[in-house]
Amino acid sequence: MGEETSRSERHRARMERKKAVVDAAIARATTRRGLLLVLTGNGKGKSSSAFGMVARALGHGMRVAVFQFIKGKTDTGEQVFFKTHAAIQWESCGEGFTWETQDRDKDIAAARAGWDKALQALRDPSVSLVVLDEMTYLFQYGYLSLEEVLPVIAARPEGQHVVITGRGAQDALIAAADTVSEIGDIKHAFRAGVVAQPGIDL
Ligand code: ATP
Ligand code: MG
């Protein structure tokens, strides 16, 4: 009993010290501004994290614009769900995976058309969150250049958040971002022969 009491007391003292540290860190964070977030890495969870932020933003009554590059698939759960929301603009800007289309000119045209639409959102102060899903591949394949995109992002309305997803985020993109998460691939069910599951993968 005495041992349990002293353990509880040590825990309480430790938590008290931790709370002081956390409270001080929270007190230091006073800046409010639009952020550029990059979600990269080989693991699963980049786009679904972006859609989690879309849900959060919509919950706060914010307007959101989503641009899905590369992928041609248009009946994912998130698209069906979010498209019905009045405060969202949802654009599918891809012809499909590059290894499916096998047509570079068509892919470039789709990427450029998507970027032209995204440009409007990145200039519109009433849009609070812009998601550029799978955008890193456009730079990787040379469909779009970072020299063209980064200045537009830098000049976006104050307070507007931008989320970019895709593997292999470029150094210049990482340098420009405020928050960067790299999701590691430890295991994926696909490698055990499991097909893409509705609600989990699409
Ligand atoms: P999600 O949309 O599920 O968050 P993601 O955006 O991180 O995934 P993408 O590279 O865009 O990853 O791939 C999307 C699809 O590929 C999803 O069905 C996802 O489960 C699958 N996937 C993602 N990472 C891997 C992986 N490491 N191995 C196999 N399949 C993967
Ligand atoms: Mg993705």
Side-chain angles (χ1 to χ4, degrees):
M1 182 67 191
E3 202 174 295
E4 266 309 294
T5 308
S6 76
R7 192 175 172 187
S8 298
E9 180 50 37
R10 282 201 308 277
H11 176 83
R12 199 199 57 74
R14 213 166 42 235
M15 288 306 120
E16 195 180 341
R17 286 195 299 275
K18 192 181 169 94
K19 180 169 162 50
V21 172
V22 172
D23 286 351
I26 291 171
R28 277 194 301 275
T30 53
T31 309
R32 260 173 238 280
R33 62 181 167 85
L35 299 173
L36 172 60
L37 298 92
V38 172
L39 304 170
T40 192
N42 293 334
K44 171 188 159 50
K46 299 174 291 294
S47 297
S48 42
S49 167
F51 300 137
M53 286 180 266
V54 169
R56 284 182 170 170
L58 292 174
H60 285 291
M62 295 154 74
R63 283 190 60 213
V64 176
V66 176
F67 302 88
Q68 282 201 293
F69 295 99
I70 306 289
K71 287 175 189 168
K73 205 160 171 42
T74 56
D75 56 351
T76 58
E78 62 267 22
Q79 172 158 2
V80 170
F81 179 74
F82 284 123
K83 254 199 153 167
T84 60
H85 204 292
I88 203 165
Q89 176 192 0
W90 192 288
E91 305 283 353
S92 302
C93 321
E95 293 285 340
F97 291 109
T98 46
W99 57 89
E100 294 286 356
T101 66
Q102 300 173 14
D103 185 337
R104 189 175 148 84
D105 293 337
K106 214 170 155 189
D107 290 344
I108 291 174
R112 286 234 65 99
W115 173 240
D116 287 342
K117 284 185 192 161
L119 272 176
Q120 309 303 312
L122 289 164
R123 287 178 184 141
D124 183 347
S126 76
V127 177
S128 300
L129 172 64
V130 177
V131 174
L132 305 167
D133 193 30
E134 319 300 344
M135 192 181 223
T136 59
Y137 306 109
L138 306 187
F139 307 130
Q140 189 181 317
Y141 300 143
Y143 296 174
L144 265 183
S145 78
L146 275 156
E147 289 72 26
E148 184 178 357
V149 169
L150 285 179
V152 174
I153 290 175
R156 74 193 185 278
E158 210 188 324
Q160 184 184 76
H161 303 297
V162 176
V163 179
I164 295 179
T165 81
R167 295 178 194 203
Q170 290 73 15
D171 291 344
L173 186 55
I174 289 171
D178 299 285
T179 296
V180 181
S181 292
E182 183 173 31
I183 298 171
D185 178 22
I186 293 177
K187 255 188 177 185
H188 196 291
F190 180 69
R191 290 199 291 280
V194 181
V195 298
Q197 302 286 296
I200 299 297
D201 298 300
L202 71 159

